[in-house]
Amino acid sequence: MKSTTIGILMFLGIVFVGGFILLGSAKSNGNTITGNVVVGNPELLQGEVQRVVLSVESLNYSPSEVRVKANQPVSISLDDKVKGCLRSVAIKELGLSKYLKTAAETLDFVPTQAGTLMITCSMGMGSTKLVVE
């Protein structure tokens, strides 16, 4: 029984240390690079910040399509008309989600590849297209 307990503790220790190393290596200067996106403080990155303010119309985000440029910081906020689950913004293709409680809060990132992504609420009910050019 003692050898089993020691084996389990060693395994958990290795997993913990490995996770710490992997998570720590992805961060650089307060920004995290994950595939098609750089997440962090867009003010620290090159390029003019592309500000996107979403509203709501017929229980969906408005406008129905937003265009931004690749490799430039994007800052998404919601106006005061947005209520409920629509305040929880997600871009699943980029692994991003954030609850924007007030109009001053933002979801900040830098898309690194062109393509069409969907911005949705946490429940997937409201959506808009994000076209990265």
Side-chain angles (χ1 to χ4, degrees):
M1 184 107 176
K2 287 184 181 182
S3 63
T4 304
T5 304
I6 292 171
I8 291 172
L9 290 175
M10 287 178 61
F11 174 76
L12 292 175
I14 291 169
V15 169
F16 177 78
V17 170
F20 182 77
I21 291 170
L22 287 175
L23 291 175
S25 67
K27 294 187 178 182
S28 169
N29 297 328
N31 299 310
T32 304
I33 301 170
T34 57
N36 183 27
V37 66
V38 178
V39 182
N41 183 350
E43 309 297 338
L44 299 176
L45 302 169
Q46 296 287 333
E48 183 178 338
V49 176
Q50 303 170 93
R51 302 203 185 279
V52 175
V53 179
L54 296 177
S55 188
V56 66
E57 187 176 303
S58 301
L59 300 174
N60 215 350
Y61 290 120
S62 175
S64 61
E65 182 178 288
V66 176
R67 293 185 173 272
V68 296
K69 294 179 182 174
N71 298 309
Q72 288 189 352
V74 175
S75 183
I76 297 175
S77 63
L78 305 173
D79 71 12
D80 291 331
K81 294 180 187 176
V82 180
K83 305 286 185 211
C85 73
L86 291 176
R87 295 211 72 82
S88 184
V89 178
I91 306 174
K92 292 182 182 182
E93 296 93 343
L94 302 180
L96 300 175
S97 65
K98 186 173 182 182
Y99 183 78
L100 305 176
K101 188 175 181 178
T102 68
E105 294 181 47
T106 60
L107 174 62
D108 302 320
F109 63 99
V110 178
T112 59
Q113 297 175 358
T116 300
L117 308 168
M118 293 303 294
I119 300 173
T120 65
C121 72
S122 61
M123 297 175 68
M125 296 170 62
S127 65
T128 189
K129 284 184 188 177
L130 177 67
V131 179
V132 181
E133 300 173 328

